Structure formats: C-alpha cells, structure tokens
Amino acid sequence: MLPVLYSLQHCPYAMRARMGLLMAQQQVMLRAITMKNKPNEMLAVSPKGTVPVLILPDTTVIDESLDIMVWALQQNDPEDLLHIDS
C-alpha cells in the first residue's frame, strides 16, 4: 500500500513536499484537490484543511511540507541531502 499525498498543484508548500518525495524516489498515491472542495477523507485526518497532507500506510499523518521532505529523505537519500554541510 502506498502513502497518500493530498496536494494542490500550485501551492509552494505542496510543491516542496512533492520535490522531496521525488528526490527521495518515494512513490505515493497523489490526490490533487481544490481548496473549494476539500475531500472529507483529508479533513478527517488533518482538520486544519491545508496541503500538503501525507498519510502513511500505518495511518501516521504528516501535514507539514518540511516534515514530509525529511520523512521521504529518511527513507531514501541517494544524494545525501540530509547531510550536506551549509
């Protein structure tokens, strides 16, 4: 079972989360939403109603873009992005 990502196409935070998932080569089931018609399933797990929202197979909910990026890179970080010195 794949994680589910609720995302809005042009939201910069959702874009950041999707970029992290892409860089980490993590597959997700992408559910594009519109802010005028938020899915009840998304609101049930993240009542604040903002995107991105990532629901892991174990029902863990991650609803901050930076946290989604870190989770993804902790799963797979082929370019060692989590350990690059500034």
Side-chain angles (χ1 to χ4, degrees):
M1 176 180 235
L2 292 176
V4 175
L5 178 69
Y6 289 95
S7 183
L8 185 62
Q9 183 175 358
H10 298 294
C11 170
Y13 300 108
M15 292 165 85
R16 177 167 64 179
R18 291 193 312 268
M19 180 62 74
L21 291 162
L22 179 67
M23 296 296 292
Q25 303 168 356
Q26 294 299 298
Q27 292 184 349
V28 297
M29 180 179 299
L30 181 61
R31 295 208 176 136
I33 69 159
T34 62
M35 294 308 283
K36 293 181 181 178
N37 190 16
K38 298 174 188 173
N40 290 332
E41 299 86 10
M42 183 188 94
L43 294 172
V45 297
S46 185
K48 67 182 183 175
T50 60
V51 290
V53 175
L54 182 68
I55 306 168
L56 302 179
D58 70 358
T59 69
T60 299
V61 176
I62 307 173
D63 61 2
E64 293 291 333
S65 61
L66 184 58
D67 294 337
I68 292 171
M69 288 183 69
V70 169
W71 172 84
L73 291 168
Q74 286 173 339
Q75 308 312 301
N76 183 42
D77 190 0
E79 296 186 34
D80 205 26
L81 296 172
L82 288 177
H83 300 101
I84 292 176
D85 292 330
S86 306

